[in-house]
């Protein structure tokens, strides 16, 4: 018989029995009261939450980061298309994929920053009471 197939000795049986007894003993009840928020505190907590659009990624607003990431992808696609167009042309110099990606990322960043600033400015404009639309 192998070691795993042998019957338990009394020593192992006793240690299992004490483990079962300790598992069955109830845990002491916690004496600390649970903290319940009052309605005013709950409203303050909700107001403190950030708008997901205002979260910064690598020091950039989220919208600008997404614009830069989209620009990187477009740069790689642009480089691939240029490579396919000029593959049979002798003495043609296709730019590096890194140069295309970085260049398009910069363009994407500035386009996204323009729209981000426009959104922020439009969001700060007061609402007119008459028609519920933003004042121009």
């Amino acid at each position: 018989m192998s070691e795993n197939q042998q019957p338990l000795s009394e020593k192992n049986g006793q240690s299992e029995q004490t483990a079962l007894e300790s598992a069955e003993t109830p845990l002491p009840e916690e004496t600390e009261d649970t903290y319940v928020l009052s309605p005013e505190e709950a409203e303050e907590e909700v107001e403190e939450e950030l708008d997901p659009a205002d979260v910064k990624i690598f020091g950039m607003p989220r919208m600008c980061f997404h614009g830069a990431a989209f620009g990187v992808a477009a740069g790689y696609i642009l480089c691939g298309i240029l490579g396919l167009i000029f593959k049979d042309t002798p003495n043609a110099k296709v730019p590096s994929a890194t140069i295309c990606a970085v260049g398009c990322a910069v363009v994407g960043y500035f386009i996204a920053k323009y729209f981000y600033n426009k959104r922020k400015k439009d969001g700060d404009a007061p609402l007119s009471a008459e028609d519920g639309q933003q004042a121009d």
Side-chain angles (χ1 to χ4, degrees):
M1 277 189 153
S2 71
E3 185 178 308
N4 293 334
Q5 294 175 342
Q6 293 178 359
L8 294 174
S9 65
E10 287 186 26
K11 181 179 178 184
N12 289 341
Q14 289 175 352
S15 65
E16 286 181 9
Q17 185 179 11
T18 57
L20 289 174
E21 288 174 1
S22 64
E24 291 175 1
T25 57
L27 297 173
E29 294 183 21
E30 294 183 16
T31 57
E32 297 178 18
D33 294 333
T34 57
Y35 183 71
V36 179
L37 293 175
S38 67
E40 295 84 21
E41 291 173 339
E43 288 177 13
E44 288 176 6
E45 190 171 307
V46 170
E47 290 174 6
E48 292 175 5
E49 292 181 9
L50 291 174
D51 182 21
D54 293 334
V55 174
K56 294 192 180 247
I57 303 171
F58 296 117
M60 297 181 273
R62 178 178 285 203
M63 190 172 188
C64 296
F65 176 77
H66 288 164
F70 183 76
V72 168
Y76 281 119
I77 291 170
L78 177 67
C79 185
I81 290 172
L82 290 175
L84 289 173
I85 290 172
F86 294 112
K87 79 174 184 180
D88 293 330
T89 308
N91 298 329
K93 292 189 178 185
V94 179
S96 167
T98 305
I99 293 172
C100 287
V102 170
C104 290
V106 169
V107 171
Y109 171 80
F110 283 115
I111 290 171
K113 187 171 183 174
Y114 169 77
F115 286 116
Y116 175 76
N117 289 336
K118 185 176 179 182
R119 183 185 65 85
K120 289 297 269 187
K121 186 170 66 169
D122 290 345
D124 294 339
L127 293 174
S128 65
E130 297 171 357
D131 43 51
Q133 296 178 357
Q134 291 183 349
D136 291 19

